[in-house]
Amino acid sequence: MKEYQVVGKSVRRLDALEKATGMGTFTTDLALPGMLYAKVLRSPHAHARIVKIDTGRAEQLPGVEAVACFKNTTRVKFNHSATMTFTVPPMEAVLDECIYDDVVRYVGDEVAAVAAVSERIAEEALALIDVEYELLPAVFDPVKAMEPDAPDIHIKKAGCFLCGKNIPGEKIHLALGNVEEGFKESDVIIEETFYLPVQKQAQLETQAALATVSNNGDITVWSTTQTPHPTRQILSHIFQIPQSKIRVLNPPYIGGGFGVRIGLSAKAEPIAVDLAMKTKKPVKIVYDRKEDFTSTDTRHSGIVTVKLGAKKDGTFQALQLKGLLNTGAYCSFGAETIGVLGAMGLSVYRAPHMLYTGNSVYTNITPAGAFRGFGNPQAMFAIETVVDMMAERLGMDAKELRLKNIIKPGDPWILPYSCQSTGLAECIEKGAKEIGWERRGTLNKPGDTLRRGIGMAVGTHVSDAWPFCGDFSNAYVTIQADGSVHVASGVPDMGTGTRTTLGQFAAEVIGVGMEHVSVTIADTQSTPFDIGSHASRTCYVAGQAVMKAATEARGYALAYAANMLNEPLEDLTILDAVVFCRGDRKLTLAEVARHAHLHNEQFIGVGKVIPQNAPPWLAHFAEVEVDTETGQVRLLKMVAAHDVGKAINPVIVEGQLQGGVVQGMGYALSEEVIFDREGRSQHDAYHKYMLLTAEDMPEIKAIIVEAEDPTGPCGAKGVGETGQVATAPAIASAIYDAVGVRMKQLPMTEERVFQALQELQKR
Amino acid sequence: MLKDYLLPASVDEALQNLQAYSGKAAIIAGGTDIMVNMAEGKVSPEALIDISRIGEFKQIEEEGEFIKLGAGVTHTQAARSPLIREKALVLAQACREVGSLQIRNVGTLVGNVVSAQPAADAAVALVALEAIAEIADLQGKREEPVEELYAGIGACKVDCRSQLVTALRFKALSPNQGSAFKRLAKRKALALPMLNVAVVLSLKEGAFEWVRIVMAPVGPGPVRATASENILAGASVSPEIIEKAAAAAREQAAPRDSALRGSAAYRRDVLKVLVRRALQDAVSQAGGSL
């Protein structure tokens, strides 16, 4: 394995001191002179037409400077997710929303917005807007929404592509071999259906934006977006203004994201820009927590069916997967998530015959979009539970059955790129050792009411979105006149340590310590185009761009130094900011850079990357204790063994894995947004929505496995989402081991486990 | 609209402040309820009267056979008090379950009572302890059992416009007595209880001398499981009688279906388990054997 100086080391994060001391700047913190505050009037109805809207009384309220609604605001159709900026023809992005429409499609949909001198006055003005609604029939169930007599949530027209009743985007069809033959060849077939809930990102910083418009019409927007460059493209589209006249940036920090702002931060940016254009003043909008729950993307709820056929010896013959995702009132990433559900679900195991069919469907609930895992957790809860059941039916150890069937490089698989590396077998073995897999089935005595169990599940993910949609990165790396190194990349750092990791790549390539490196991120004006942070791609793709740019800058510096020293270029190297030559001839990088500066030259490298893709792999293990009298599940230990290719900064990687596991634990046990019969969210606040707390945490052991991928920067693969992928099925498997019930609906609340136990007793 | 924030140094001064605002002032101690209600626009007092500077309000003390808690005693104080842990464990256990550490550090037990929520953990334990509230107004002092202060969901019989609860008092448990608190919630912190149960009992020569069982949220305030209490009173200690009493609690309780806190049927089934477990713990504390 290659020796590195900076890569692979847990160097201190560049943002550590600022954030630990409370000095880091977030959009929510920003203020500009003369700034106005925006508040949004939201629909109380799940589906209604606005018959009349009168903003007169609100406009009269002293302190109110503008009121916006569909009557006085652009109605250009867009999609608030970044899909509209990178969907490649012949596929078509679904553009199904405008800032304010005359039809509202879910409880919380935007009706109007006020800009006023204070938040309180803006709030008061909302109550003065008179709206008359004509109620329309609403549908909340994804199956009912596809029935012929269901209400149409969007009318098929230009820019809003429907391929069936309430079905946006494409119906996905992925096939390998012939599943019917595969099932005929199988000795054992298991088919089960699983029900997945709405989960919420619940990131700490709510959606926020601050927009200003200069005298000559240039627009600047600070916001919480995970993708500043695509967000600029969307704003350019909505307001029909050239991209060159819009600047989007993070200030520079974002309080988490988890996918909730890939593209616009819900509608924070266009609402702020529109009101800033109307008032000629800076306008800031910060969603309150309730708005963040009701009116920003969630994880897709849905129904997944798995049919698995195997030979008696455990060889998988056929795997069929069906997906239905509820994308809510607007498509967002609904067309992509349903595809990833199938693509990821079918790329873990080797089977000669596979088939996936799936589609998303509109209903009148909060839109669902991107959330860490992006369809993959839905797929793997279903698949891994069925694999567990298959092991039991075949009388095989669940770990051995997986080891027998997991994909290896060279196997045929469903994805349009090849699998060039896998450390999954190593993940399984290391994780099993850590949890004590051999103890499985030996933990309880007859009659115990508190019963322990051990379970496992595996999975994979992506390292970017190529070739499913547009995906590329650019970076500048400059060796400054004093020899220090500056990196410019368009990705954000939403808490994932991006700045530090990208800095490590530049430091490693050029041969300097981290103290010489600074990193500018997430600004369309000072960084080259980058798709941004999604699809676990930031380290993998932006990292490659930075390495390429740094290599180029280093080349210029070395060539210059070779000239200065009058030595052959190939004899020169840079170590610890010193350019060494044969013998003891050397110059500091600072000396070289200063000399160059005085002779009118700077070392600027540009890195442009069109990436490939690489599968990260993961094996999760859980130990739980189930109270058989209450149904409560207590987590005792979680193990997450992940093949990350190469951990550029191991502590950051462990943090990513643990964070993903924590969200997976909530998905498994307690997190769920339920809508009542009128479509109103019952879980619209932190005290109602059951994120697990610090007191609920078990020991979480992250194990890093490094099967370097030839396509990754220093071999690295994506780690942003993997922690979430197979956590719920590992816990479900442990619950089964403890008490013998197969849970087929998430979250596995105490009441659902209790009911399952009662049904088991009746049998 | 809030105009003033007052810091009286004595009970008298606080009562006079209340009178001066003739019903438009509100008492604040920890502020964990009133600040939320003000932020949501549910109440809008003209003045807040902060009682945290009244010296004796911070005290937990033994007065003869009683334990007395001042009106400013926080949940953290009660949960960690050696006196309460020894002689009223149910209260320490209940106080440890409220909210989160930050909320417990400022929220008071008296606040927990006067907010009159149906399943306030500390209040449930206090009812099981047959705690008495000392209530003062400008006319004088009176005493009322905590159990009788409930006038509906979120409604307390103490008139906060002119009256102040100054202390809580209950009998310390003796070595032949025991207590326990059990709770079912969706997570270990920051979760309202789906169910909570408090038990206080006294044993005499292998039998239950008396038992008090309180359950919530199955009514507007903490509810005594009277049928269960009657089954146990005078009976010999045995697993069978405990099971019978627990089953009776299940029959008596009428929780509601809740999207956030579980179905009525589930909660009734689990209530029985919690009552049984609380009784078992309390019996063993009182030196009984099962």
Side-chain angles (χ1 to χ4, degrees):
Chain A
M1 204 183 287
K2 203 179 160 197
E3 279 296 315
Y4 295 106
Q5 302 298 316
V6 188
V7 159
K9 310 256 188 309
S10 295
V11 302
R12 191 173 81 181
R13 286 172 63 137
L14 297 178
D15 54 348
L17 207 58
E18 264 183 300
K19 284 184 179 167
T21 55
M23 301 303 285
T25 310
F26 296 79
T27 306
T28 314
D29 300 322
L30 297 178
L32 288 176
M35 184 176 89
L36 303 175
Y37 298 82
K39 279 281 169 194
V40 176
L41 180 68
R42 297 187 176 278
S43 169
H45 305 298
H47 199 191
R49 182 177 305 283
I50 298 173
V51 180
K52 210 181 102 190
I53 180 163
D54 183 354
T55 57
R57 287 199 301 146
E59 283 157 19
Q60 298 304 311
L61 186 72
V64 170
E65 307 231 350
V67 181
C69 68
F70 74 88
K71 290 202 289 194
N72 63 351
T73 305
T74 172
R75 295 181 81 184
V76 170
K77 294 262 182 183
F78 61 93
N79 181 318
H80 65 268
S81 81
T83 182
M84 65 172 284
T85 70
F86 51 52
T87 300
V88 183
M91 285 196 292
E92 232 185 300
V94 177
L95 308 185
D96 59 5
E97 56 192 320
C98 41
I99 309 177
Y100 316 101
D101 201 352
D102 60 348
V103 174
V104 287
R105 297 178 175 84
Y106 70 97
V107 175
D109 207 351
E110 289 78 9
V111 172
V114 172
V117 294
S118 74
E119 227 169 352
R120 177 180 292 194
I121 292 174
E123 195 106 40
E124 280 173 34
L126 294 182
L128 301 176
I129 300 173
D130 299 309
V131 192
E132 198 182 312
Y133 296 97
E134 174 201 339
L135 296 191
L136 301 172
V139 61
F140 309 110
D141 180 279
V143 175
K144 285 187 185 144
M146 293 190 296
E147 288 168 2
D149 58 345
D152 288 303
I153 296 170
H154 293 272
I155 303 154
K156 182 169 179 167
K157 57 185 169 191
C160 182
F161 176 64
L162 294 176
C163 71
K165 179 81 178 187
N166 282 324
I167 298 173
E170 322 262 328
K171 283 189 181 175
I172 311 290
H173 184 272
L174 303 171
L176 197 68
N178 180 330
V179 280
E180 291 312 318
E181 274 175 33
F183 288 121
K184 273 184 214 152
E185 294 159 12
S186 301
D187 298 316
V188 180
I189 297 170
I190 297 176
E191 182 171 5
E192 292 289 346
T193 296
F194 299 84
Y195 299 87
L196 292 315
V198 170
Q199 188 187 20
K200 198 72 194 86
Q201 295 85 351
Q203 77 292 341
L204 264 184
E205 189 183 20
T206 59
Q207 309 286 23
L210 166 56
T212 68
V213 183
S214 76
N215 279 346
N216 56 5
D218 290 337
I219 294 170
T220 303
V221 188
W222 290 264
S223 87
T224 47
T225 179
Q226 297 176 215
T227 58
H229 289 273
T231 291
R232 178 173 69 156
Q233 289 178 290
I234 301 173
L235 292 173
S236 162
H237 167 84
I238 295 173
F239 295 102
Q240 301 289 299
I241 289 170
Q243 290 178 31
S244 59
K245 291 180 78 69
I246 303 174
R247 178 185 186 188
V248 176
L249 69 162
N250 299 147
Y253 295 122
I254 313 174
F258 311 117
V260 78
R261 32 211 178 201
I262 299 169
L264 301 178
S265 306
K267 287 187 188 166
E269 290 94 345
I271 289 170
V273 168
D274 173 60
L275 288 169
M277 289 166 81
K278 285 184 164 79
T279 59
K280 311 266 189 276
K281 290 182 181 172
V283 175
K284 179 177 170 182
I285 179 166
V286 178
Y287 281 37
D288 64 25
R289 182 58 62 185
K290 185 177 176 186
E291 290 178 294
D292 207 87
F293 270 105
T294 63
S295 308
T296 79
D297 284 359
T298 69
R299 185 185 301 288
H300 286 84
S301 54
I303 302 168
V304 175
T305 300
V306 179
K307 188 173 176 185
L308 176 65
K311 294 277 198 194
K312 275 185 195 140
D313 70 352
T315 309
F316 291 173
Q317 282 305 116
L319 176 56
Q320 185 175 359
L321 188 62
K322 288 181 201 162
L324 175 65
L325 293 180
N326 183 342
T327 203
Y330 298 96
C331 182
S332 184
F333 274 118
E336 289 80 8
T337 314
I338 191 71
V340 171
L341 189 163
M344 291 298 106
L346 296 186
S347 54
V348 178
Y349 295 107
R350 177 180 56 248
H353 307 286
M354 291 192 176
L355 177 64
Y356 171 66
T357 49
N359 64 265
S360 287
V361 60
Y362 285 126
T363 65
N364 294 106
I365 63 169
T366 302
F371 182 177
R372 196 180 216 167
F374 204 88
N376 197 348
Q378 290 94 319
M380 294 320 290
F381 174 61
I383 290 170
E384 283 300 89
T385 302
V386 169
V387 169
D388 237 42
M389 294 169 79
M390 182 61 82
E392 192 187 20
R393 282 274 289 280
L394 294 168
M396 283 180 77
D397 178 80
K399 175 170 79 87
E400 296 309 318
L401 180 64
R402 288 181 170 94
L403 283 169
K404 186 181 177 76
N405 287 289
I406 53 177
I407 288 279
K408 296 187 175 55
D411 285 341
W413 74 340
I414 202 96
L415 296 177
Y417 49 88
S418 62
C419 170
Q420 301 192 42
S421 63
T422 175
L424 181 53
E426 189 182 342
C427 291
I428 291 173
E429 296 296 2
K430 284 191 167 159
K433 185 155 185 261
E434 176 66 31
I435 201 80
W437 182 255
E438 70 287 350
R439 297 180 300 134
R440 196 174 201 235
T442 67
L443 297 165
N444 305 301
K445 298 189 301 291
D448 284 350
T449 52
L450 296 179
R451 300 182 72 84
R452 292 193 171 194
I454 291 174
M456 72 172 290
V458 304
T460 184
H461 202 61
V462 292
S463 294
D464 61 37
W466 178 90
F468 306 107
C469 58
D471 191 307
F472 66 111
S473 282
N474 300 289
Y476 305 144
V477 171
T478 311
I479 300 173
Q480 308 287 336
D482 62 353
S484 67
V485 174
H486 178 254
V487 178
S489 163
V491 297
D493 188 340
M494 49 184 171
T496 52
T498 311
R499 274 177 77 205
T500 311
T501 306
L502 295 183
Q504 284 180 265
F505 283 125
E508 182 69 45
V509 168
I510 291 175
V512 299
M514 281 298 279
E515 68 278 12
H516 295 287
V517 179
S518 72
V519 184
T520 297
I521 48 163
D523 178 359
T524 59
Q525 193 161 298
S526 57
T527 68
F529 184 88
D530 197 295
I531 287 283
S533 272
H534 80 118
S536 299
R537 67 179 296 283
T538 314
C539 172
Y540 178 80
V541 189
Q544 291 180 52
V546 168
M547 284 186 80
K548 221 167 158 183
T551 303
E552 189 181 321
R554 178 178 186 270
Y556 294 138
L558 281 178
Y560 194 94
N563 219 9
M564 278 175 76
L565 291 163
N566 200 19
E567 294 279 358
L569 180 59
E570 56 272 24
D571 290 348
L572 266 55
T573 188
I574 309 176
L575 193 67
D576 218 3
V578 178
V579 182
F580 288 95
C581 187
R582 282 172 311 171
D584 56 0
R585 292 203 68 191
K586 62 184 177 189
L587 286 168
T588 65
L589 188 58
E591 286 168 334
V592 176
R594 179 162 173 76
H595 193 275
H597 171 75
L598 293 174
H599 293 78
N600 308 317
E601 187 172 341
Q602 189 165 43
F603 312 129
I604 308 177
V606 180
K608 303 187 215 175
V609 170
I610 304 166
Q612 299 184 57
N613 209 331
W617 299 94
L618 56 114
H620 283 189
F621 293 81
E623 182 166 356
V624 305
E625 182 181 83
V626 182
D627 185 332
T628 54
E629 292 185 313
T630 65
Q632 279 191 308
V633 177
R634 189 159 74 98
L635 298 170
L636 301 174
K637 182 168 180 171
M638 294 296 304
V639 177
H642 288 230
D643 166 17
V644 305
K646 172 77 188 170
I648 306 305
N649 185 315
V651 167
I652 289 178
V653 169
E654 283 173 14
Q656 284 297 302
L657 301 184
Q658 291 179 337
V661 168
V662 168
Q663 280 182 321
M665 286 164 14
Y667 190 51
L669 296 179
S670 59
E671 291 184 42
E672 180 174 28
V673 175
I674 296 173
F675 297 87
D676 72 7
R677 284 158 60 185
E678 312 295 324
R680 290 175 301 226
S681 168
Q682 302 298 291
H683 297 89
D684 56 4
Y686 268 158
H687 70 273
K688 296 178 189 166
Y689 183 73
M690 291 291 124
L691 294 167
L692 296 181
T693 69
E695 284 196 48
D696 298 287
M697 289 303 125
E699 179 192 359
I700 303 171
K701 174 79 177 172
I703 297 173
I704 291 173
V705 168
E706 296 181 319
E708 294 183 6
D709 196 277
T711 65
C714 303
K717 313 181 203 182
V719 297
E721 299 172 86
T722 49
Q724 166 69 283
V725 169
T727 303
I731 292 169
S733 161
I735 291 172
Y736 182 78
D737 184 47
V739 295
V741 296
R742 284 284 176 206
M743 301 303 296
K744 290 165 193 160
Q745 181 175 11
L746 294 181
M748 299 176 280
T749 61
E750 47 286 302
E751 183 163 353
R752 289 189 182 127
V753 173
F754 182 84
Q755 282 168 351
L757 283 163
Q758 292 212 312
E759 278 158 31
L760 183 73
Q761 269 181 357
K762 277 183 213 151
R763 268 191 266 134
Chain B
M1 184 124 131
L2 192 64
K3 294 174 188 158
D4 209 353
Y5 194 92
L6 307 169
L7 289 154
S10 68
V11 172
D12 258 3
E13 194 183 337
L15 291 170
Q16 276 158 17
N17 290 154
L18 276 174
Q19 193 188 38
Y21 273 89
S22 52
K24 289 178 179 157
I27 302 286
I28 181 168
T32 55
D33 283 329
I34 193 158
M35 294 308 291
V36 177
N37 290 338
M38 284 170 65
E40 289 175 357
K42 289 180 188 163
V43 293
S44 41
E46 288 184 3
L48 287 174
I49 301 170
D50 184 336
I51 56 168
S52 63
R53 303 288 168 92
I54 301 175
E56 70 263 30
F57 275 12
K58 285 285 170 205
Q59 301 294 319
I60 300 176
E61 52 199 352
E62 231 172 337
E63 279 185 354
E65 56 180 349
F66 286 91
I67 294 173
K68 183 178 168 184
L69 307 171
V73 170
T74 64
H75 292 90
T76 295
Q77 249 183 299
R80 292 182 183 168
S81 155
L83 177 65
I84 291 177
R85 297 187 67 80
E86 190 197 335
K87 296 183 175 173
L89 183 62
V90 65
L91 184 60
Q93 289 173 335
C95 287
R96 170 62 184 78
E97 298 289 340
V98 171
S100 63
L101 182 63
Q102 296 92 326
I103 290 170
R104 295 193 291 272
N105 282 344
V106 293
T108 63
L109 274 65
V110 166
N112 205 246
V113 170
V114 297
S115 288
Q117 293 303 312
D121 296 292
V124 167
L126 287 164
V127 170
L129 288 163
E130 285 193 336
I132 303 289
E134 290 182 8
I135 302 162
D137 59 21
L138 285 172
Q139 280 68 53
K141 283 198 170 192
R142 69 176 210 275
E143 295 190 337
E144 277 209 53
V146 170
E147 188 177 353
E148 283 163 29
L149 292 179
Y150 290 82
I153 291 175
C156 179
K157 286 182 186 163
V158 177
D159 184 353
C160 294
R161 293 169 303 179
S162 61
Q163 300 175 337
L164 191 60
V165 176
T166 54
L168 298 165
R169 220 153 38 84
F170 52 83
K171 269 191 185 168
L173 300 186
S174 46
N176 64 319
Q177 297 171 339
S179 68
F181 185 81
K182 297 286 169 190
R183 186 184 211 257
L184 180 77
K186 286 191 161 283
R187 61 186 175 195
K188 290 185 188 154
L190 290 167
L192 294 172
M194 300 162 82
L195 282 173
N196 52 15
V197 170
V199 164
V200 179
L201 55 78
S202 185
L203 300 186
K204 197 174 178 184
E205 291 157 9
F208 292 101
E209 189 179 16
W210 49 259
V211 179
R212 295 194 292 266
I213 302 170
V214 182
M215 50 194 186
V218 297
V223 172
R224 290 281 287 267
T226 44
S228 314
E229 292 178 2
N230 292 339
I231 288 168
L232 294 171
S236 296
V237 173
S238 73
E240 293 74 26
I241 197 82
I242 285 179
E243 197 62 51
K244 197 176 161 198
R250 183 191 177 285
E251 293 314 309
Q252 187 189 335
R256 295 192 297 183
D257 282 317
S258 159
L260 298 183
R261 300 202 249 173
S263 72
Y266 169 65
R267 289 200 281 175
R268 287 176 69 196
D269 284 343
V270 175
L271 177 68
K272 184 178 123 182
V273 176
L274 299 192
V275 169
R276 188 220 308 141
R277 290 179 180 179
L279 285 166
Q280 287 166 341
D281 281 9
V283 163
S284 80
Q285 238 181 81
S289 55
L290 284 166

